[in-house]
Amino acid sequence: MSNKVLEKALNEQLNAEFYSSYLYLSMSAYFSDIGLSGFANWMRVQAQEEQFHALKFYDYINERGGRVILSSIDSPQTEWESPLDCVKGVLEHEKKVTSLINNLVDLAITEKDHATNIFLQWFVTEQVEEEDSVNEVLNKLKLIDGKGNGMFILDKELALRVFTPPTTA
Ligand code: FEO
C-alpha cells in the first residue's frame, strides 16, 4: 500500500476488531458461567461477526498491496456485575468502535484515498445496525429488570441467533 499512514491505521483497526471478538467471547464465557446459555450464544455470534470484520480489513490491506501486521491483543474484561452491566458494556464498546471507524473515514478523506473511503462505508452502515441490535437487547433487559420469566424468554430468544456472513461482503 503506497500510503503508509493509512496502512498503519487499517492494521490498527484489524487489531481492534480482533480485540472486539476477544471481548465478546469473554462476555460469552461470563454468560455461560451464570447459566444464561442464550445470552452466551448471542455473544459468541457477535464474536464471530467481529472476526469477520477483522478478516475484511485483512483482505483489504492485502488487496491494496499492503502488509498485514498482526499485533498482540489486549486481555479483555472477564467479570461483570450483572447481565445488564455486561450488555451496557457491549453498547459502550460498539460506540467506541463507531468512533474508530469514523476517525478512519476522516483519515481516508484527508489522505485523499477514495477507495479506502468506499471500503469503509460498509463499516459505517454496519455500525448503525450493530448499535441498533444491541440497543434492542438492552431495552428488553431494562424492561424485564432482570426478573425470572422475562429473563427466561429473552435467553430463549437469544439462543436462536446464528452467525450468517453478511451478503455485502
Ligand atoms: Fe466490528 Fe461490532 O464492530
Side-chain angles (χ1 to χ4, degrees):
M1 203 164 171
S2 55
N3 189 318
K4 295 298 165 198
V5 176
L6 264 178
E7 184 177 305
K8 185 169 176 286
L10 290 168
N11 268 304
E12 281 168 5
Q13 189 60 33
L14 165 59
N15 179 277
E17 299 291 344
F18 273 127
Y19 172 75
S20 299
S21 181
Y22 221 34
L23 174 66
Y24 293 166
L25 201 56
S26 181
M27 288 171 163
S28 181
Y30 160 75
F31 282 125
S32 285
D33 187 51
I34 61 170
L36 289 171
S37 58
F39 280 79
N41 172 66
W42 173 49
M43 289 320 299
R44 193 179 167 118
V45 169
Q46 293 295 116
Q48 283 175 293
E49 280 187 7
E50 298 306 339
Q51 278 189 40
F52 179 87
H53 293 171
L55 291 175
K56 254 181 102 70
F57 279 98
Y58 180 102
D59 288 340
Y60 181 73
I61 295 165
N62 273 337
E63 207 180 337
R64 293 292 306 276
R67 177 72 167 93
V68 168
I69 301 289
L70 298 179
S71 47
S72 53
I73 302 165
D74 290 340
S75 296
Q77 189 175 337
T78 55
E79 295 298 335
W80 286 268
E81 281 173 18
S82 62
L84 182 65
D85 179 44
C86 190
V87 176
K88 275 183 181 169
V90 182
L91 186 60
E92 223 168 84
H93 184 70
E94 283 302 327
K95 284 183 175 171
K96 239 181 264 167
V97 174
T98 299
S99 74
L100 290 178
I101 296 292
N102 287 342
N103 290 344
L104 263 181
V105 172
D106 289 345
L107 185 64
I109 292 169
T110 311
E111 296 290 319
K112 295 186 168 52
D113 188 329
H114 303 297
T116 298
N117 185 13
I118 290 168
F119 164 74
L120 290 169
Q121 295 310 306
W122 184 89
F123 286 92
V124 172
T125 310
E126 176 75 356
Q127 283 310 119
V128 174
E129 194 270 323
E130 294 246 303
E131 282 189 32
D132 182 52
S133 79
V134 180
N135 235 331
E136 192 191 310
V137 177
L138 185 59
N139 286 336
K140 285 180 182 171
L141 202 47
K142 281 179 181 165
L143 204 66
I144 59 183
D145 198 20
K147 301 273 168 25
N149 267 359
M151 282 301 279
F152 181 73
I153 293 165
L154 185 53
D155 193 57
K156 276 189 99 157
E157 182 189 314
L158 294 175
L160 300 176
R161 300 268 170 112
V162 284
F163 174 64
T164 22
T167 46
T168 47

CSV table of all heavy atoms in Angstrom, one decimal, residues 3 5-6 102-114 116-117 120:
chain,number,residue,atom,x,y,z
A,3,ASN,N,0.2,4.4,0.7
A,3,ASN,CA,0.0,5.3,1.8
A,3,ASN,C,0.3,4.5,3.1
A,3,ASN,O,-0.6,3.8,3.6
A,3,ASN,CB,-1.4,5.9,1.7
A,3,ASN,CG,-1.6,7.0,2.7
A,3,ASN,OD1,-1.1,6.9,3.9
A,3,ASN,ND2,-2.2,8.0,2.3
A,5,VAL,N,0.6,5.7,6.1
A,5,VAL,CA,-0.2,6.2,7.3
A,5,VAL,C,-1.5,5.5,7.4
A,5,VAL,O,-1.9,5.0,8.4
A,5,VAL,CB,-0.5,7.8,7.1
A,5,VAL,CG1,-1.4,8.3,8.2
A,5,VAL,CG2,0.8,8.5,7.1
A,6,LEU,N,-2.2,5.3,6.2
A,6,LEU,CA,-3.4,4.6,6.1
A,6,LEU,C,-3.2,3.1,6.4
A,6,LEU,O,-4.0,2.4,7.1
A,6,LEU,CB,-4.1,4.7,4.8
A,6,LEU,CG,-5.1,5.8,4.7
A,6,LEU,CD1,-5.7,5.9,3.2
A,6,LEU,CD2,-6.3,5.5,5.6
A,102,ASN,N,-15.3,6.1,12.2
A,102,ASN,CA,-15.5,7.5,11.7
A,102,ASN,C,-14.1,8.2,11.6
A,102,ASN,O,-13.9,8.9,10.6
A,102,ASN,CB,-16.4,8.2,12.7
A,102,ASN,CG,-17.8,7.8,12.6
A,102,ASN,OD1,-18.2,7.2,11.6
A,102,ASN,ND2,-18.7,8.1,13.5
A,103,ASN,N,-13.2,7.9,12.6
A,103,ASN,CA,-11.9,8.5,12.5
A,103,ASN,C,-11.1,8.0,11.3
A,103,ASN,O,-10.4,8.8,10.6
A,103,ASN,CB,-11.1,8.2,13.8
A,103,ASN,CG,-11.6,9.0,15.0
A,103,ASN,OD1,-12.4,9.9,14.9
A,103,ASN,ND2,-11.2,8.5,16.2
A,104,LEU,N,-11.3,6.7,11.0
A,104,LEU,CA,-10.6,6.2,9.8
A,104,LEU,C,-11.2,6.8,8.5
A,104,LEU,O,-10.4,7.1,7.6
A,104,LEU,CB,-10.9,4.7,9.8
A,104,LEU,CG,-9.8,3.7,10.3
A,104,LEU,CD1,-10.3,2.3,10.1
A,104,LEU,CD2,-8.5,3.9,9.6
A,105,VAL,N,-12.5,7.0,8.5
A,105,VAL,CA,-13.1,7.7,7.3
A,105,VAL,C,-12.5,9.1,7.2
A,105,VAL,O,-12.1,9.5,6.1
A,105,VAL,CB,-14.6,7.7,7.4
A,105,VAL,CG1,-15.2,8.6,6.3
A,105,VAL,CG2,-15.2,6.3,7.4
A,106,ASP,N,-12.4,9.8,8.3
A,106,ASP,CA,-11.8,11.1,8.2
A,106,ASP,C,-10.4,11.1,7.7
A,106,ASP,O,-10.0,11.9,6.8
A,106,ASP,CB,-11.7,11.7,9.6
A,106,ASP,CG,-13.1,12.1,10.2
A,106,ASP,OD1,-14.1,12.2,9.3
A,106,ASP,OD2,-13.3,12.3,11.4
A,107,LEU,N,-9.6,10.1,8.1
A,107,LEU,CA,-8.2,9.9,7.6
A,107,LEU,C,-8.2,9.6,6.1
A,107,LEU,O,-7.4,10.2,5.4
A,107,LEU,CB,-7.5,8.8,8.5
A,107,LEU,CG,-6.0,8.6,8.2
A,107,LEU,CD1,-5.2,9.9,8.6
A,107,LEU,CD2,-5.5,7.4,8.9
A,108,ALA,N,-9.1,8.7,5.7
A,108,ALA,CA,-9.1,8.3,4.3
A,108,ALA,C,-9.4,9.6,3.4
A,108,ALA,O,-8.8,9.8,2.4
A,108,ALA,CB,-10.1,7.3,4.0
A,109,ILE,N,-10.3,10.4,3.9
A,109,ILE,CA,-10.6,11.7,3.2
A,109,ILE,C,-9.4,12.6,3.2
A,109,ILE,O,-9.1,13.1,2.1
A,109,ILE,CB,-11.9,12.3,3.8
A,109,ILE,CG1,-13.1,11.4,3.6
A,109,ILE,CG2,-12.1,13.7,3.2
A,109,ILE,CD1,-14.4,11.8,4.3
A,110,THR,N,-8.8,12.8,4.4
A,110,THR,CA,-7.6,13.7,4.4
A,110,THR,C,-6.5,13.2,3.5
A,110,THR,O,-5.9,14.0,2.9
A,110,THR,CB,-7.1,13.7,5.9
A,110,THR,OG1,-8.2,13.9,6.8
A,110,THR,CG2,-6.1,14.8,6.1
A,111,GLU,N,-6.4,11.9,3.5
A,111,GLU,CA,-5.3,11.3,2.6
A,111,GLU,C,-5.7,11.2,1.2
A,111,GLU,O,-5.0,10.6,0.4
A,111,GLU,CB,-4.9,10.0,3.2
A,111,GLU,CG,-4.3,10.0,4.6
A,111,GLU,CD,-2.9,10.7,4.6
A,111,GLU,OE1,-2.1,10.4,3.7
A,111,GLU,OE2,-2.6,11.5,5.6
A,112,LYS,N,-6.9,11.6,0.9
A,112,LYS,CA,-7.5,11.5,-0.5
A,112,LYS,C,-7.4,10.1,-1.1
A,112,LYS,O,-7.2,9.9,-2.2
A,112,LYS,CB,-6.7,12.5,-1.4
A,112,LYS,CG,-6.9,14.0,-1.1
A,112,LYS,CD,-6.2,14.8,-2.2
A,112,LYS,CE,-6.6,16.3,-2.1
A,112,LYS,NZ,-6.4,16.9,-0.8
A,113,ASP,N,-7.7,9.1,-0.2
A,113,ASP,CA,-7.7,7.7,-0.7
A,113,ASP,C,-9.2,7.3,-0.8
A,113,ASP,O,-9.9,6.8,0.1
A,113,ASP,CB,-7.0,6.8,0.4
A,113,ASP,CG,-6.9,5.4,-0.2
A,113,ASP,OD1,-7.8,4.9,-0.9
A,113,ASP,OD2,-5.9,4.7,0.2
A,114,HIS,N,-9.7,7.5,-2.0
A,114,HIS,CA,-11.2,7.3,-2.2
A,114,HIS,C,-11.6,5.9,-2.1
A,114,HIS,O,-12.7,5.5,-1.7
A,114,HIS,CB,-11.5,7.9,-3.6
A,114,HIS,CG,-11.2,9.3,-3.8
A,114,HIS,ND1,-11.8,10.3,-3.0
A,114,HIS,CD2,-10.3,10.0,-4.6
A,114,HIS,CE1,-11.2,11.5,-3.3
A,114,HIS,NE2,-10.3,11.3,-4.2
A,116,THR,N,-10.3,3.6,-0.2
A,116,THR,CA,-10.4,3.2,1.3
A,116,THR,C,-11.7,3.8,1.9
A,116,THR,O,-12.4,3.2,2.7
A,116,THR,CB,-9.2,3.6,2.0
A,116,THR,OG1,-8.1,2.9,1.5
A,116,THR,CG2,-9.3,3.3,3.5
A,117,ASN,N,-12.0,5.0,1.4
A,117,ASN,CA,-13.2,5.7,1.9
A,117,ASN,C,-14.4,4.8,1.5
A,117,ASN,O,-15.3,4.5,2.4
A,117,ASN,CB,-13.3,7.1,1.3
A,117,ASN,CG,-14.5,7.8,1.9
A,117,ASN,OD1,-15.1,7.4,2.8
A,117,ASN,ND2,-14.8,9.0,1.2
A,120,LEU,N,-14.6,1.7,3.6
A,120,LEU,CA,-15.1,1.9,5.0
A,120,LEU,C,-16.6,2.2,5.1
A,120,LEU,O,-17.1,2.0,6.2
A,120,LEU,CB,-14.3,3.1,5.6
A,120,LEU,CG,-12.8,2.8,5.8
A,120,LEU,CD1,-12.1,4.1,6.1
A,120,LEU,CD2,-12.6,1.8,7.0
